[in-house]
Amino acid sequence: MVNRCRRRGGWRPGAFLIAAVMGAPLLPATPAAAVHGAVPGDFNGDGYRDAVLPAPGADVAGKAGAGAVVVLYGSKSGLSTSRRAIITQNTAGIPGAAEPDDGFGSATATADLNRDGYADLVVSTPYEDTPRGRDAGMVTVLWGGKNGLTSGTDLPATTAGSYYGLDVAALSTGPGVKTEVLVAGYEGMMRFTGPFGRNGTYGEARESRDTASVGSVALGDFNGWGYPDEVAVTVRLSELSGGAVYLDPVLDGEQQKGNGLIAATGDVNGDGYTDLAVGDPDEPDKPGVDGALGGRVLLWYGSAHGIARDAKPVQLTQDTPGVPDASEKEDKFGGALTVADLNRDGLADIVVGAPLEDTGRRNAGQVTVIPGRRTGALGTGAYAFTQNTADIPDADEAEDSFGSTVAVGDINKDGKPELFISAAEENFSTGAVWVLPGGTGGPTAKGSRMITAPSVGLPQKEHTHLGGYGLLGVI
């Protein structure tokens, strides 16, 4: 059941964050952090990917809302809640110290940054107080090794702005500058390129303050050149549904025709070029001009020339033919997003959270999978999961927000990726994560399991937000 009262992390239903472009003053508001959760990664090198369950509201040593990240180690038999590590800023080898309302784990990303064969985990703490100021924010790399994630170093911001680490993205397509970390912030964003070292070194850091406040970041190779391309999506702007979408904002700052609040990348049509998906869960600010009833997802296809600035995106809604359900006001379709090949057909599928979908219970939430297609219109074969789906543990309740975050990864090495779905407001906002096993045609509810905060050693009674709270603080 719901309890939206949050200490400092922006839990205001329908909060409307406005930023003025090119450095104009921002209205005073505390932004909600965290739009992405990390995909599973093999942090200990045993051949099995390990699940990442952020808990940015976790209390640590009496410090309310200090935040934690739970790692569940993968194996042939899947996940066990007893094979886990709970990592906080009080963990030996991790920079910083647990303090009230830091929000460690608000955003996470996975990549082998130093290319040593072990996945590394990038973790943000956007409300960390630092010498740069109150709520300046902090981003930490937790380095993988044979014993898992046992040490960390900082990725320092150069800006004097606040909320550094609203979102993070990481991608390694090769050595040196082909490995990159992108960090969103309220008054700028940072781009770090390799080579990275576990002692905290990196090749280059570059700051951009040429867009409005950035709330979501993503990386992908849109032109097939083998180098990461950057995506930045700003916080909500006035007279728009969502914020503006920029490609290569650190270098060129090209604004796309379309808008939203969260970005994800993957090759949806299987042509070898990464495509860009953006979730725009807002109701239209100007009906017929931007946005869509109940929310939407916009998709731009990559090509040998990348994504053109004037390219018109494909729009997907719950009214798109083949997509289950129907568009209804305030569903927030597009409020969570990831792109991954779920059925191993060589085409990435679009996984969309609608965390405020009514399923017989108000704001219970729903997740929709839209399969990738080589040709033809997207939507055919789409399917959805709710807590009322047969074999899904538990049952829907008002305000659960099933679909707060979504992630995909194969944790038992059977070649069939699992689907991870969180509900940040489950059980008085302690949160929960559902793991749906991979099947021949994609994830299946049969054999799925529900992981609660107490089951992984986080016993507090409210506000843990296991799995992350995604965009709930602003939608």
Side-chain angles (χ1 to χ4, degrees), residues 14 18 82 147 160 234 262 283 320 360 374 400 420:
I18 303 176
S82 63
N147 295 317
T234 73
I262 181 172
E283 297 302 311
T320 298
R374 296 189 187 279
D400 275 352
F420 295 78

Side-chain angles (χ1 to χ4, degrees), residues 12 16-18 26-31 163 186:
R12 297 183 301 276
F16 197 69
L17 302 182
I18 303 176
L26 294 160
L27 293 184
T30 300
Y163 309 119
Y186 208 46

Side-chain angles (χ1 to χ4, degrees), residues 2-97:
V2 72
N3 187 335
R4 285 190 186 274
C5 179
R6 181 163 168 74
R7 302 175 180 91
R8 181 155 56 102
W11 282 100
R12 297 183 301 276
F16 197 69
L17 302 182
I18 303 176
V21 183
M22 301 300 290
L26 294 160
L27 293 184
T30 300
V35 293
H36 285 114
V39 299
D42 185 4
F43 303 117
N44 60 1
D46 65 354
Y48 296 95
R49 294 187 182 184
D50 311 311
V52 179
L53 278 58
D59 299 346
V60 179
K63 309 297 185 182
V69 173
V70 180
V71 175
L72 299 181
Y73 291 104
S75 69
K76 185 177 182 179
S77 58
L79 298 176
S80 169
T81 55
S82 63
R83 296 188 68 248
R84 68 175 186 254
I86 299 177
I87 303 169
T88 74
Q89 288 183 296
N90 282 357
T91 300
I94 306 304

